[in-house]
Amino acid sequence: RPELRAQMEGEMKKICSGTKTKERVIQEALQQYKAIFENVMANANMLDIAFQKYFDGGSVGDGNGGSGGDFSDFNDGEIPEVSQCGHCGSMMSIRTKRLRETSERRILFCGSCSQGHDLPSTGRIAPHEHRCPLCAFQVLSVYNEQRQTSWTFCPWCRNHPPSTSTLTTNNKYSSDGAF
């Protein structure tokens, strides 16, 4: 959105001329970018659908972060019984699909529900002892060996972010399903 950059440049000129304070410009910009971010998050599935054909070579699931669909092409590897499904209680497995020579796509797949949930493409994934208080899915941890960092997330909320009102009632959770 080039108009945002142009607007920001105009605001910076106002700071230089003394007609606006730096603090006011920053506050207004944060409000504007927060509204844009919330709009993008509310319509994230539209971005998934638009980009899916370029990165996945076709449609997988329903375009909503990989819910129901045909996951038969995710057969390049499987780690069984990794995490418990928040819908039916069955154990889910991690399935892998090679996209290119150096990249792959991973999903957490529930055979009982026939649902797949997109996972981060890198990092070692392990089940966490907690369950998400919003959807009852078992929380997962991702460990980045290169950076020696880890983070936890809910596989359902990561692919189906809760509404902003849900998040504001319990501010421990981010809009990307991470804790």
Side-chain angles (χ1 to χ4, degrees):
R1 298 180 68 168
E3 68 273 7
L4 291 176
R5 191 196 76 229
Q7 180 184 358
M8 182 59 69
E9 289 172 358
E11 296 295 310
M12 287 184 217
K13 287 179 184 177
K14 291 178 183 177
I15 293 172
C16 292
S17 68
T19 58
K20 264 193 174 177
T21 65
K22 177 178 99 173
E23 291 76 19
R24 183 172 173 200
V25 170
I26 290 172
Q27 185 62 33
E28 289 172 358
L30 286 174
Q31 288 173 348
Q32 185 176 28
Y33 283 104
K34 180 180 179 186
I36 292 168
F37 174 77
E38 288 173 348
N39 184 30
V40 168
M41 290 305 295
N43 297 299
N45 64 325
M46 299 302 287
L47 287 172
D48 289 343
I49 292 168
F51 286 108
Q52 198 167 36
K53 64 183 173 186
Y54 298 106
F55 294 105
D56 291 342
S59 175
V60 175
D62 65 359
N64 289 318
S67 288
D70 177 19
F71 296 99
S72 60
D73 58 343
F74 280 81
N75 54 11
D76 293 329
E78 183 170 359
I79 303 171
E81 299 189 0
V82 173
S83 177
Q84 198 169 23
C85 179
H87 295 304
C88 72
S90 296
M91 291 304 290
M92 298 185 291
S93 61
I94 295 176
R95 289 189 178 181
T96 305
K97 173 184 176 182
R98 184 153 308 283
L99 300 176
R100 290 179 284 290
E101 180 91 16
T102 58
S103 67
E104 63 184 18
R105 181 174 173 197
R106 298 188 295 184
I107 60 167
L108 188 63
F109 182 74
C110 177
S112 298
C113 295
S114 295
Q115 288 191 343
H117 311 284
D118 284 329
L119 294 173
S121 59
T122 60
R124 187 177 58 213
I125 296 177
H128 200 274
E129 68 267 13
H130 298 294
R131 290 194 168 274
C132 177
L134 302 176
C135 68
F137 268 76
Q138 186 173 5
V139 174
L140 300 175
S141 295
V142 179
Y143 180 70
N144 181 324
E145 293 182 29
Q146 186 177 25
R147 293 184 181 156
Q148 301 216 340
T149 58
S150 65
W151 57 283
T152 56
F153 70 97
C154 167
W156 176 262
C157 293
R158 180 177 185 270
N159 291 285
H160 305 88
S163 67
T164 305
S165 61
T166 304
L167 294 173
T168 55
T169 59
N170 192 344
N171 60 8
K172 286 175 37 178
Y173 309 99
S174 67
S175 60
D176 63 358
F179 289 81

